[in-house]
Amino acid sequence: MNSLRRNVPILFLQPLPLLLFPPTFLANALPAIAIVIAVMWGLSWLVWRKQPRALTMSIFIQGLNVIIRVMMLLSTAVARGSNGNVDVVYVVTSVLAIALSWLFLYRLDNQDLRAAMAA
């Protein structure tokens, strides 16, 4: 099977780790959610059309998501006025988003995918 065809689920689900936040964070962010989904699906379509810069941009965005989530995890996990209580929902969604972005990075930054795009 072609490497591009194997990665179709990854290409289709690219916005998921970027939007994986607790529901309270996303309550009033419907326009931002729509923009993120449109941009990431547009990049996925360009990767499907074998545009190497779109693949590089997708890898960059997923990597930046991992870095930002790791930096935010400890500072946001414990709220300031909560007397040391941990926001479990935020920690779980952040760790899940980090894991998904890491998986997507692993799958997108693969030599087989780059070879399929060059062919």
mmCIF file with all atom_site columns, all heavy atoms in Angstrom, residues 75-97:
data_model
loop_
_atom_site.group_PDB
_atom_site.id
_atom_site.type_symbol
_atom_site.label_atom_id
_atom_site.label_alt_id
_atom_site.label_comp_id
_atom_site.label_asym_id
_atom_site.label_entity_id
_atom_site.label_seq_id
_atom_site.pdbx_PDB_ins_code
_atom_site.Cartn_x
_atom_site.Cartn_y
_atom_site.Cartn_z
_atom_site.occupancy
_atom_site.B_iso_or_equiv
_atom_site.pdbx_formal_charge
_atom_site.auth_seq_id
_atom_site.auth_comp_id
_atom_site.auth_asym_id
_atom_site.auth_atom_id
_atom_site.pdbx_PDB_model_num
ATOM 1   N N   . SER A 1 75 ? 2.811   24.764 34.612 1.00 0.00 ? 75 SER A N   1
ATOM 2   C CA  . SER A 1 75 ? 2.372   26.078 35.071 1.00 0.00 ? 75 SER A CA  1
ATOM 3   C C   . SER A 1 75 ? 0.856   26.218 35.105 1.00 0.00 ? 75 SER A C   1
ATOM 4   O O   . SER A 1 75 ? 0.327   27.012 35.876 1.00 0.00 ? 75 SER A O   1
ATOM 5   C CB  . SER A 1 75 ? 2.968   27.171 34.200 1.00 0.00 ? 75 SER A CB  1
ATOM 6   O OG  . SER A 1 75 ? 2.466   27.080 32.892 1.00 0.00 ? 75 SER A OG  1
ATOM 7   N N   . THR A 1 76 ? 0.150   25.461 34.289 1.00 0.00 ? 76 THR A N   1
ATOM 8   C CA  . THR A 1 76 ? -1.301  25.586 34.219 1.00 0.00 ? 76 THR A CA  1
ATOM 9   C C   . THR A 1 76 ? -2.014  24.448 34.942 1.00 0.00 ? 76 THR A C   1
ATOM 10  O O   . THR A 1 76 ? -3.209  24.546 35.214 1.00 0.00 ? 76 THR A O   1
ATOM 11  C CB  . THR A 1 76 ? -1.753  25.629 32.745 1.00 0.00 ? 76 THR A CB  1
ATOM 12  O OG1 . THR A 1 76 ? -0.926  26.562 32.050 1.00 0.00 ? 76 THR A OG1 1
ATOM 13  C CG2 . THR A 1 76 ? -3.187  26.090 32.604 1.00 0.00 ? 76 THR A CG2 1
ATOM 14  N N   . ALA A 1 77 ? -1.317  23.392 35.282 1.00 0.00 ? 77 ALA A N   1
ATOM 15  C CA  . ALA A 1 77 ? -1.958  22.242 35.921 1.00 0.00 ? 77 ALA A CA  1
ATOM 16  C C   . ALA A 1 77 ? -2.496  22.586 37.304 1.00 0.00 ? 77 ALA A C   1
ATOM 17  O O   . ALA A 1 77 ? -3.515  22.059 37.724 1.00 0.00 ? 77 ALA A O   1
ATOM 18  C CB  . ALA A 1 77 ? -0.978  21.079 36.022 1.00 0.00 ? 77 ALA A CB  1
ATOM 19  N N   . VAL A 1 78 ? -1.826  23.489 38.006 1.00 0.00 ? 78 VAL A N   1
ATOM 20  C CA  . VAL A 1 78 ? -2.270  23.912 39.328 1.00 0.00 ? 78 VAL A CA  1
ATOM 21  C C   . VAL A 1 78 ? -2.711  25.366 39.221 1.00 0.00 ? 78 VAL A C   1
ATOM 22  O O   . VAL A 1 78 ? -1.910  26.243 38.909 1.00 0.00 ? 78 VAL A O   1
ATOM 23  C CB  . VAL A 1 78 ? -1.136  23.776 40.371 1.00 0.00 ? 78 VAL A CB  1
ATOM 24  C CG1 . VAL A 1 78 ? -1.606  24.268 41.725 1.00 0.00 ? 78 VAL A CG1 1
ATOM 25  C CG2 . VAL A 1 78 ? -0.674  22.337 40.454 1.00 0.00 ? 78 VAL A CG2 1
ATOM 26  N N   . ALA A 1 79 ? -3.992  25.600 39.465 1.00 0.00 ? 79 ALA A N   1
ATOM 27  C CA  . ALA A 1 79 ? -4.520  26.958 39.370 1.00 0.00 ? 79 ALA A CA  1
ATOM 28  C C   . ALA A 1 79 ? -4.011  27.803 40.538 1.00 0.00 ? 79 ALA A C   1
ATOM 29  O O   . ALA A 1 79 ? -3.745  27.290 41.624 1.00 0.00 ? 79 ALA A O   1
ATOM 30  C CB  . ALA A 1 79 ? -6.042  26.928 39.358 1.00 0.00 ? 79 ALA A CB  1
ATOM 31  N N   . ARG A 1 80 ? -3.903  29.106 40.331 1.00 0.00 ? 80 ARG A N   1
ATOM 32  C CA  . ARG A 1 80 ? -3.331  29.988 41.356 1.00 0.00 ? 80 ARG A CA  1
ATOM 33  C C   . ARG A 1 80 ? -4.171  30.054 42.620 1.00 0.00 ? 80 ARG A C   1
ATOM 34  O O   . ARG A 1 80 ? -3.656  30.009 43.709 1.00 0.00 ? 80 ARG A O   1
ATOM 35  C CB  . ARG A 1 80 ? -3.157  31.388 40.784 1.00 0.00 ? 80 ARG A CB  1
ATOM 36  C CG  . ARG A 1 80 ? -2.065  31.448 39.784 1.00 0.00 ? 80 ARG A CG  1
ATOM 37  C CD  . ARG A 1 80 ? -1.794  32.845 39.362 1.00 0.00 ? 80 ARG A CD  1
ATOM 38  N NE  . ARG A 1 80 ? -0.783  32.824 38.314 1.00 0.00 ? 80 ARG A NE  1
ATOM 39  C CZ  . ARG A 1 80 ? -0.257  33.870 37.789 1.00 0.00 ? 80 ARG A CZ  1
ATOM 40  N NH1 . ARG A 1 80 ? -0.639  35.055 38.186 1.00 0.00 ? 80 ARG A NH1 1
ATOM 41  N NH2 . ARG A 1 80 ? 0.657   33.764 36.859 1.00 0.00 ? 80 ARG A NH2 1
ATOM 42  N N   . GLY A 1 81 ? -5.445  30.189 42.503 1.00 0.00 ? 81 GLY A N   1
ATOM 43  C CA  . GLY A 1 81 ? -6.289  30.361 43.682 1.00 0.00 ? 81 GLY A CA  1
ATOM 44  C C   . GLY A 1 81 ? -6.902  29.067 44.183 1.00 0.00 ? 81 GLY A C   1
ATOM 45  O O   . GLY A 1 81 ? -7.886  29.082 44.905 1.00 0.00 ? 81 GLY A O   1
ATOM 46  N N   . SER A 1 82 ? -6.332  27.914 43.825 1.00 0.00 ? 82 SER A N   1
ATOM 47  C CA  . SER A 1 82 ? -6.982  26.642 44.167 1.00 0.00 ? 82 SER A CA  1
ATOM 48  C C   . SER A 1 82 ? -6.315  25.914 45.326 1.00 0.00 ? 82 SER A C   1
ATOM 49  O O   . SER A 1 82 ? -6.602  24.756 45.564 1.00 0.00 ? 82 SER A O   1
ATOM 50  C CB  . SER A 1 82 ? -6.989  25.729 42.935 1.00 0.00 ? 82 SER A CB  1
ATOM 51  O OG  . SER A 1 82 ? -5.659  25.384 42.609 1.00 0.00 ? 82 SER A OG  1
ATOM 52  N N   . ASN A 1 83 ? -5.412  26.569 46.054 1.00 0.00 ? 83 ASN A N   1
ATOM 53  C CA  . ASN A 1 83 ? -4.729  25.965 47.207 1.00 0.00 ? 83 ASN A CA  1
ATOM 54  C C   . ASN A 1 83 ? -4.002  24.681 46.850 1.00 0.00 ? 83 ASN A C   1
ATOM 55  O O   . ASN A 1 83 ? -4.005  23.719 47.615 1.00 0.00 ? 83 ASN A O   1
ATOM 56  C CB  . ASN A 1 83 ? -5.709  25.712 48.353 1.00 0.00 ? 83 ASN A CB  1
ATOM 57  C CG  . ASN A 1 83 ? -6.288  26.997 48.896 1.00 0.00 ? 83 ASN A CG  1
ATOM 58  O OD1 . ASN A 1 83 ? -5.620  28.031 48.880 1.00 0.00 ? 83 ASN A OD1 1
ATOM 59  N ND2 . ASN A 1 83 ? -7.527  26.948 49.348 1.00 0.00 ? 83 ASN A ND2 1
ATOM 60  N N   . GLY A 1 84 ? -3.399  24.626 45.686 1.00 0.00 ? 84 GLY A N   1
ATOM 61  C CA  . GLY A 1 84 ? -2.610  23.469 45.292 1.00 0.00 ? 84 GLY A CA  1
ATOM 62  C C   . GLY A 1 84 ? -3.399  22.334 44.670 1.00 0.00 ? 84 GLY A C   1
ATOM 63  O O   . GLY A 1 84 ? -2.851  21.261 44.461 1.00 0.00 ? 84 GLY A O   1
ATOM 64  N N   . ASN A 1 85 ? -4.665  22.544 44.349 1.00 0.00 ? 85 ASN A N   1
ATOM 65  C CA  . ASN A 1 85 ? -5.452  21.491 43.706 1.00 0.00 ? 85 ASN A CA  1
ATOM 66  C C   . ASN A 1 85 ? -5.059  21.383 42.223 1.00 0.00 ? 85 ASN A C   1
ATOM 67  O O   . ASN A 1 85 ? -4.935  22.379 41.539 1.00 0.00 ? 85 ASN A O   1
ATOM 68  C CB  . ASN A 1 85 ? -6.948  21.781 43.812 1.00 0.00 ? 85 ASN A CB  1
ATOM 69  C CG  . ASN A 1 85 ? -7.422  21.748 45.247 1.00 0.00 ? 85 ASN A CG  1
ATOM 70  O OD1 . ASN A 1 85 ? -6.829  21.063 46.075 1.00 0.00 ? 85 ASN A OD1 1
ATOM 71  N ND2 . ASN A 1 85 ? -8.455  22.506 45.535 1.00 0.00 ? 85 ASN A ND2 1
ATOM 72  N N   . VAL A 1 86 ? -4.903  20.161 41.774 1.00 0.00 ? 86 VAL A N   1
ATOM 73  C CA  . VAL A 1 86 ? -4.500  19.913 40.392 1.00 0.00 ? 86 VAL A CA  1
ATOM 74  C C   . VAL A 1 86 ? -5.736  19.838 39.508 1.00 0.00 ? 86 VAL A C   1
ATOM 75  O O   . VAL A 1 86 ? -6.725  19.191 39.854 1.00 0.00 ? 86 VAL A O   1
ATOM 76  C CB  . VAL A 1 86 ? -3.688  18.606 40.302 1.00 0.00 ? 86 VAL A CB  1
ATOM 77  C CG1 . VAL A 1 86 ? -3.344  18.280 38.867 1.00 0.00 ? 86 VAL A CG1 1
ATOM 78  C CG2 . VAL A 1 86 ? -2.438  18.705 41.147 1.00 0.00 ? 86 VAL A CG2 1
ATOM 79  N N   . ASP A 1 87 ? -5.675  20.502 38.364 1.00 0.00 ? 87 ASP A N   1
ATOM 80  C CA  . ASP A 1 87 ? -6.741  20.432 37.366 1.00 0.00 ? 87 ASP A CA  1
ATOM 81  C C   . ASP A 1 87 ? -6.532  19.161 36.544 1.00 0.00 ? 87 ASP A C   1
ATOM 82  O O   . ASP A 1 87 ? -5.795  19.147 35.553 1.00 0.00 ? 87 ASP A O   1
ATOM 83  C CB  . ASP A 1 87 ? -6.703  21.674 36.480 1.00 0.00 ? 87 ASP A CB  1
ATOM 84  C CG  . ASP A 1 87 ? -7.884  21.765 35.539 1.00 0.00 ? 87 ASP A CG  1
ATOM 85  O OD1 . ASP A 1 87 ? -8.762  20.876 35.585 1.00 0.00 ? 87 ASP A OD1 1
ATOM 86  O OD2 . ASP A 1 87 ? -7.924  22.731 34.754 1.00 0.00 ? 87 ASP A OD2 1
ATOM 87  N N   . VAL A 1 88 ? -7.180  18.086 36.961 1.00 0.00 ? 88 VAL A N   1
ATOM 88  C CA  . VAL A 1 88 ? -6.963  16.763 36.372 1.00 0.00 ? 88 VAL A CA  1
ATOM 89  C C   . VAL A 1 88 ? -7.399  16.724 34.912 1.00 0.00 ? 88 VAL A C   1
ATOM 90  O O   . VAL A 1 88 ? -6.715  16.127 34.067 1.00 0.00 ? 88 VAL A O   1
ATOM 91  C CB  . VAL A 1 88 ? -7.699  15.679 37.195 1.00 0.00 ? 88 VAL A CB  1
ATOM 92  C CG1 . VAL A 1 88 ? -7.527  14.315 36.567 1.00 0.00 ? 88 VAL A CG1 1
ATOM 93  C CG2 . VAL A 1 88 ? -7.198  15.677 38.627 1.00 0.00 ? 88 VAL A CG2 1
ATOM 94  N N   . VAL A 1 89 ? -8.496  17.380 34.583 1.00 0.00 ? 89 VAL A N   1
ATOM 95  C CA  . VAL A 1 89 ? -8.979  17.374 33.199 1.00 0.00 ? 89 VAL A CA  1
ATOM 96  C C   . VAL A 1 89 ? -7.962  18.035 32.283 1.00 0.00 ? 89 VAL A C   1
ATOM 97  O O   . VAL A 1 89 ? -7.671  17.523 31.195 1.00 0.00 ? 89 VAL A O   1
ATOM 98  C CB  . VAL A 1 89 ? -10.357 18.077 33.101 1.00 0.00 ? 89 VAL A CB  1
ATOM 99  C CG1 . VAL A 1 89 ? -10.820 18.152 31.666 1.00 0.00 ? 89 VAL A CG1 1
ATOM 100 C CG2 . VAL A 1 89 ? -11.379 17.364 33.961 1.00 0.00 ? 89 VAL A CG2 1
ATOM 101 N N   . TYR A 1 90 ? -7.388  19.135 32.732 1.00 0.00 ? 90 TYR A N   1
ATOM 102 C CA  . TYR A 1 90 ? -6.382  19.817 31.918 1.00 0.00 ? 90 TYR A CA  1
ATOM 103 C C   . TYR A 1 90 ? -5.137  18.947 31.743 1.00 0.00 ? 90 TYR A C   1
ATOM 104 O O   . TYR A 1 90 ? -4.584  18.860 30.647 1.00 0.00 ? 90 TYR A O   1
ATOM 105 C CB  . TYR A 1 90 ? -5.996  21.164 32.537 1.00 0.00 ? 90 TYR A CB  1
ATOM 106 C CG  . TYR A 1 90 ? -4.939  21.870 31.735 1.00 0.00 ? 90 TYR A CG  1
ATOM 107 C CD1 . TYR A 1 90 ? -5.287  22.541 30.565 1.00 0.00 ? 90 TYR A CD1 1
ATOM 108 C CD2 . TYR A 1 90 ? -3.611  21.830 32.112 1.00 0.00 ? 90 TYR A CD2 1
ATOM 109 C CE1 . TYR A 1 90 ? -4.325  23.161 29.805 1.00 0.00 ? 90 TYR A CE1 1
ATOM 110 C CE2 . TYR A 1 90 ? -2.643  22.449 31.350 1.00 0.00 ? 90 TYR A CE2 1
ATOM 111 C CZ  . TYR A 1 90 ? -3.003  23.112 30.210 1.00 0.00 ? 90 TYR A CZ  1
ATOM 112 O OH  . TYR A 1 90 ? -2.052  23.719 29.440 1.00 0.00 ? 90 TYR A OH  1
ATOM 113 N N   . VAL A 1 91 ? -4.694  18.308 32.800 1.00 0.00 ? 91 VAL A N   1
ATOM 114 C CA  . VAL A 1 91 ? -3.494  17.464 32.718 1.00 0.00 ? 91 VAL A CA  1
ATOM 115 C C   . VAL A 1 91 ? -3.728  16.295 31.771 1.00 0.00 ? 91 VAL A C   1
ATOM 116 O O   . VAL A 1 91 ? -2.883  15.991 30.918 1.00 0.00 ? 91 VAL A O   1
ATOM 117 C CB  . VAL A 1 91 ? -3.078  16.970 34.122 1.00 0.00 ? 91 VAL A CB  1
ATOM 118 C CG1 . VAL A 1 91 ? -1.990  15.924 34.028 1.00 0.00 ? 91 VAL A CG1 1
ATOM 119 C CG2 . VAL A 1 91 ? -2.632  18.135 34.985 1.00 0.00 ? 91 VAL A CG2 1
ATOM 120 N N   . VAL A 1 92 ? -4.874  15.653 31.867 1.00 0.00 ? 92 VAL A N   1
ATOM 121 C CA  . VAL A 1 92 ? -5.179  14.499 31.012 1.00 0.00 ? 92 VAL A CA  1
ATOM 122 C C   . VAL A 1 92 ? -5.266  14.923 29.544 1.00 0.00 ? 92 VAL A C   1
ATOM 123 O O   . VAL A 1 92 ? -4.689  14.275 28.665 1.00 0.00 ? 92 VAL A O   1
ATOM 124 C CB  . VAL A 1 92 ? -6.471  13.794 31.470 1.00 0.00 ? 92 VAL A CB  1
ATOM 125 C CG1 . VAL A 1 92 ? -6.951  12.786 30.447 1.00 0.00 ? 92 VAL A CG1 1
ATOM 126 C CG2 . VAL A 1 92 ? -6.250  13.127 32.813 1.00 0.00 ? 92 VAL A CG2 1
ATOM 127 N N   . THR A 1 93 ? -5.962  16.017 29.266 1.00 0.00 ? 93 THR A N   1
ATOM 128 C CA  . THR A 1 93 ? -6.084  16.452 27.874 1.00 0.00 ? 93 THR A CA  1
ATOM 129 C C   . THR A 1 93 ? -4.732  16.913 27.319 1.00 0.00 ? 93 THR A C   1
ATOM 130 O O   . THR A 1 93 ? -4.432  16.674 26.151 1.00 0.00 ? 93 THR A O   1
ATOM 131 C CB  . THR A 1 93 ? -7.124  17.574 27.723 1.00 0.00 ? 93 THR A CB  1
ATOM 132 O OG1 . THR A 1 93 ? -6.798  18.655 28.602 1.00 0.00 ? 93 THR A OG1 1
ATOM 133 C CG2 . THR A 1 93 ? -8.523  17.069 28.003 1.00 0.00 ? 93 THR A CG2 1
ATOM 134 N N   . SER A 1 94 ? -3.924  17.540 28.140 1.00 0.00 ? 94 SER A N   1
ATOM 135 C CA  . SER A 1 94 ? -2.605  17.974 27.666 1.00 0.00 ? 94 SER A CA  1
ATOM 136 C C   . SER A 1 94 ? -1.691  16.793 27.370 1.00 0.00 ? 94 SER A C   1
ATOM 137 O O   . SER A 1 94 ? -1.012  16.766 26.344 1.00 0.00 ? 94 SER A O   1
ATOM 138 C CB  . SER A 1 94 ? -1.941  18.889 28.694 1.00 0.00 ? 94 SER A CB  1
ATOM 139 O OG  . SER A 1 94 ? -2.597  20.121 28.746 1.00 0.00 ? 94 SER A OG  1
ATOM 140 N N   . VAL A 1 95 ? -1.674  15.807 28.256 1.00 0.00 ? 95 VAL A N   1
ATOM 141 C CA  . VAL A 1 95 ? -0.833  14.629 28.028 1.00 0.00 ? 95 VAL A CA  1
ATOM 142 C C   . VAL A 1 95 ? -1.323  13.864 26.798 1.00 0.00 ? 95 VAL A C   1
ATOM 143 O O   . VAL A 1 95 ? -0.518  13.399 25.988 1.00 0.00 ? 95 VAL A O   1
ATOM 144 C CB  . VAL A 1 95 ? -0.803  13.736 29.282 1.00 0.00 ? 95 VAL A CB  1
ATOM 145 C CG1 . VAL A 1 95 ? -0.175  12.392 29.002 1.00 0.00 ? 95 VAL A CG1 1
ATOM 146 C CG2 . VAL A 1 95 ? -0.076  14.444 30.414 1.00 0.00 ? 95 VAL A CG2 1
ATOM 147 N N   . LEU A 1 96 ? -2.619  13.766 26.623 1.00 0.00 ? 96 LEU A N   1
ATOM 148 C CA  . LEU A 1 96 ? -3.169  13.106 25.442 1.00 0.00 ? 96 LEU A CA  1
ATOM 149 C C   . LEU A 1 96 ? -2.819  13.874 24.160 1.00 0.00 ? 96 LEU A C   1
ATOM 150 O O   . LEU A 1 96 ? -2.452  13.269 23.144 1.00 0.00 ? 96 LEU A O   1
ATOM 151 C CB  . LEU A 1 96 ? -4.685  12.954 25.584 1.00 0.00 ? 96 LEU A CB  1
ATOM 152 C CG  . LEU A 1 96 ? -5.396  12.092 24.577 1.00 0.00 ? 96 LEU A CG  1
ATOM 153 C CD1 . LEU A 1 96 ? -4.849  10.664 24.605 1.00 0.00 ? 96 LEU A CD1 1
ATOM 154 C CD2 . LEU A 1 96 ? -6.882  12.072 24.857 1.00 0.00 ? 96 LEU A CD2 1
ATOM 155 N N   . ALA A 1 97 ? -2.893  15.201 24.211 1.00 0.00 ? 97 ALA A N   1
ATOM 156 C CA  . ALA A 1 97 ? -2.536  16.022 23.044 1.00 0.00 ? 97 ALA A CA  1
ATOM 157 C C   . ALA A 1 97 ? -1.052  15.889 22.721 1.00 0.00 ? 97 ALA A C   1
ATOM 158 O O   . ALA A 1 97 ? -0.668  15.815 21.545 1.00 0.00 ? 97 ALA A O   1
ATOM 159 C CB  . ALA A 1 97 ? -2.896  17.484 23.297 1.00 0.00 ? 97 ALA A CB  1
#
